[in-house]
Amino acid sequence: MAIDPTGVNQPGVRSRLSLLMALVGSAIADRGDEALRATGGLDAMDYMVLAVLDESEPGSQLELARLCGSAPGKIVGILDQLEQRGIVVRERDPHDRRRSIVRLTADGRTVLEGADAIVEGVEAELLADLTADERGQLHDLLRRIDVSRTVA
Amino acid sequence: MAIDPTGVNQPGVRSRLSLLMALVGSAIADRGDEALRATGGLDAMDYMVLAVLDESEPGSQLELARLCGSAPGKIVGILDQLEQRGIVVRERDPHDRRRSIVRLTADGRTVLEGADAIVEGVEAELLADLTADERGQLHDLLRRIDVSRTVA
DNA sequence: TATTGTTATACTCTATAACTATA
DNA sequence: TATAGTTATAGAGTATAACAATA
């Protein structure tokens, strides 16, 4: 039996925006993770770290962890593996030798581009029912949500 | 130091729609879960189950599990607790005594309404930068994404 | 004394597969 | 023999706090 014979998706949570957001977010995360593992040799968290390094320049591992929404202790193992594979490098900040400046290598940038292509493929499939214009609207709306806002 | 002095949110993932979807979905899930636990005595998964029961009529626990995107074995414990608290009831299907029909009780419906209010509060806070119209657009776009689509 | 990165420990969560009852 | 619900177990994943180096 098909889940959705009548064209109704997400049966059971359609009227609740929060649940839709959580469900769609989890769907893209799960599928992206699966595709990356199968094709790219990374996982979703690796990809997040690389994307953050591509778009920001965190001044320390702690800041990187915060930008990734991850605990400092979790980043360590991820970076260990990425560094071992030549995808990132850690350099000590000369002004404060406690800090590690993490950077993408040239190889790392190539790996990230491949990962982007894989993730965009998954994304195109999940968003197949939306026009390019609508995907742009979705992107713009999500960009305007401040996930760092403190809960009152 | 503020994360976002220039109005730029989600630094590090802004250009990647998939990561934004995953990040925003995870943010609302985490905050909803926290608020529900603190105020409502439920967690996010409990809320999902109740919402699915409210909007659908699953003919078995297996179907309920599928609608919740959860493993059958996970639903058991959740329903045990919800049933113990009088929020749901399990009845054997008279046509097939292997199946459990799960239903919200009247009390359960009241609990769900309270949970909806809590979650909507969290949602309003997270989406504070969007107008009511834009929240409607977001809802409509997400509704049109078919998370049950099979990965090719 | 405070902060950065790291490590170790304990805890939670989850997936898996057996098991019972019913079909 | 197959399916629905349940239970038990092992394994993965995570949070927490202690630790060493630097400020």
Side-chain angles (χ1 to χ4, degrees):
Chain A
M1 185 189 76
I3 289 179
D4 177 20
T6 63
V8 175
N9 304 312
Q10 285 81 253
V13 303
R14 287 176 54 76
S15 77
R16 287 163 172 95
L17 174 54
S18 293
L19 280 174
L20 272 181
M21 288 194 284
L23 202 59
V24 171
S26 159
I28 188 67
D30 288 351
R31 288 165 189 226
D33 185 68
E34 191 180 1
L36 283 171
R37 283 175 195 271
T39 322
L42 304 174
D43 65 17
M45 200 58 209
D46 295 329
Y47 178 62
M48 175 99 187
V49 169
L50 299 187
V52 167
L53 290 176
D54 182 48
E55 296 192 26
S56 306
E57 293 197 348
S60 68
Q61 276 188 209
L62 280 185
E63 192 187 347
L64 172 60
R66 191 172 46 72
L67 289 172
C68 293
S70 168
K74 252 170 75 176
I75 292 289
V76 176
I78 296 170
L79 291 179
D80 286 349
Q81 293 200 318
L82 291 175
E83 193 170 29
Q84 216 166 5
R85 297 167 62 185
I87 293 170
V88 304
V89 284
R90 278 189 267 216
E91 301 162 12
R92 287 288 165 185
D93 181 344
H95 299 340
D96 182 346
R97 294 186 40 72
R98 291 172 304 180
R99 295 168 182 265
S100 270
I101 312 287
V102 185
R103 268 188 261 273
L104 279 176
T105 64
D107 279 3
R109 202 162 294 277
T110 306
V111 168
L112 175 56
E113 282 163 14
D116 277 330
I118 292 168
V119 170
E120 279 160 23
V122 173
E123 182 183 301
E125 202 163 354
L126 189 68
L127 304 186
D129 293 337
L130 303 185
T131 66
D133 198 53
E134 287 167 335
R135 290 178 214 184
Q137 287 173 31
L138 179 61
H139 199 154
D140 288 341
L141 289 169
L142 292 177
R143 243 198 292 253
R144 294 191 28 228
I145 297 172
D146 182 0
V147 298
S148 69
R149 191 187 304 282
T150 304
V151 178
Chain B
M1 184 190 75
I3 288 180
D4 178 19
T6 63
V8 175
N9 303 312
Q10 285 81 254
V13 303
R14 286 176 55 75
S15 77
R16 286 163 172 96
L17 174 53
S18 293
L19 279 174
L20 271 181
M21 288 193 284
L23 201 60
V24 171
S26 160
I28 187 68
D30 289 350
R31 287 165 189 225
D33 186 67
E34 191 181 1
L36 284 170
R37 282 175 195 270
T39 322
L42 303 173
D43 65 17
M45 199 59 209
D46 295 329
Y47 178 62
M48 175 100 187
V49 168
L50 299 187
V52 167
L53 290 175
D54 182 48
E55 296 192 26
S56 307
E57 293 196 349
S60 68
Q61 276 189 209
L62 281 185
E63 192 186 348
L64 173 60
R66 192 173 45 72
L67 290 171
C68 293
S70 167
K74 253 169 75 175
I75 292 291
V76 176
I78 295 170
L79 291 178
D80 286 348
Q81 292 200 317
L82 291 175
E83 193 171 28
Q84 215 167 4
R85 296 166 62 185
I87 294 170
V88 305
V89 284
R90 277 190 267 215
E91 301 162 12
R92 287 288 166 185
D93 180 343
H95 300 338
D96 181 345
R97 294 186 38 74
R98 291 173 305 180
R99 294 168 182 266
S100 270
I101 312 287
V102 186
R103 267 189 262 274
L104 279 176
T105 64
D107 279 3
R109 202 161 293 278
T110 305
V111 169
L112 175 56
E113 282 163 14
D116 276 330
I118 292 167
V119 171
E120 279 159 23
V122 173
E123 181 182 301
E125 202 162 355
L126 189 67
L127 304 186
D129 293 337
L130 302 186
T131 66
D133 197 52
E134 288 167 335
R135 290 178 214 185
Q137 287 173 30
L138 179 60
H139 200 155
D140 288 341
L141 289 169
L142 292 177
R143 244 197 292 254
R144 294 190 29 229
I145 297 172
D146 182 0
V147 298
S148 69
R149 191 188 304 282
T150 304
V151 178

